[in-house]
Amino acid sequence: MTIQELKKLKLNKKLILSLVSLIIIVILSIALSINSVFNKKFEQYIIRNNENEISNIIDSIRSKYVNGEWELSSIQQIGEDAISNGIFVDLYDKDSNLVWGDNDL
């Protein structure tokens, strides 16, 4: 092999190594960008889902106040369902007296 052939071979190896390195950097950049966007969207989804669930619990509890009285058996079921979803509920009357709480279980 001549010196020119060796230089050409080294140049080809350098070129291939540079291209492979560039491809790896591009792939890693894309992966990190996608992961970042996915995590942000997932966090927003979880927050929105929790807000909706809490809103539904509040609406359910409000519907159990009939004729100035709380339907405590229904409130307890709503509270137990909420606790099973990781949401702890305490219900107070207008005078700040505890009507129902998770320690009532």
Side-chain angles (χ1 to χ4, degrees):
M1 241 184 214
T2 67
I3 294 178
Q4 276 187 330
E5 289 174 338
L6 286 175
K7 286 183 179 180
K8 190 175 182 181
L9 186 61
K10 286 182 181 180
L11 185 61
N12 282 341
K13 285 184 179 180
K14 287 181 180 179
L15 182 61
I16 290 171
L17 188 59
S18 296
L19 288 173
V20 168
S21 298
L22 180 64
I23 290 170
I24 289 173
I25 289 171
V26 167
I27 290 172
L28 286 175
S29 297
I30 291 170
L32 289 173
S33 297
I34 289 172
N35 189 38
S36 175
V37 169
F38 176 77
N39 284 339
K40 188 171 185 169
K41 292 292 183 182
F42 184 70
E43 182 180 336
Q44 290 171 349
Y45 165 77
I46 293 296
I47 290 170
R48 193 170 44 251
N49 191 39
N50 284 344
E51 288 172 348
N52 288 340
E53 192 166 344
I54 289 169
S55 179
N56 289 339
I57 290 169
I58 290 170
D59 291 341
S60 296
I61 290 173
R62 281 185 181 149
S63 71
K64 301 307 173 192
Y65 188 70
V66 180
N67 297 325
E69 295 288 324
W70 292 103
E71 295 176 13
L72 289 180
S73 61
S74 298
I75 298 290
Q76 181 170 351
Q77 184 60 49
I78 294 168
E80 289 172 0
D81 292 343
I83 289 170
S84 69
N85 290 323
I87 300 171
F88 295 89
V89 176
D90 285 336
L91 176 63
Y92 293 90
D93 64 12
K94 62 183 176 184
D95 297 324
S96 298
N97 296 317
L98 183 65
V99 174
W100 188 89
D102 61 345
N103 54 351
D104 289 341
L105 295 177

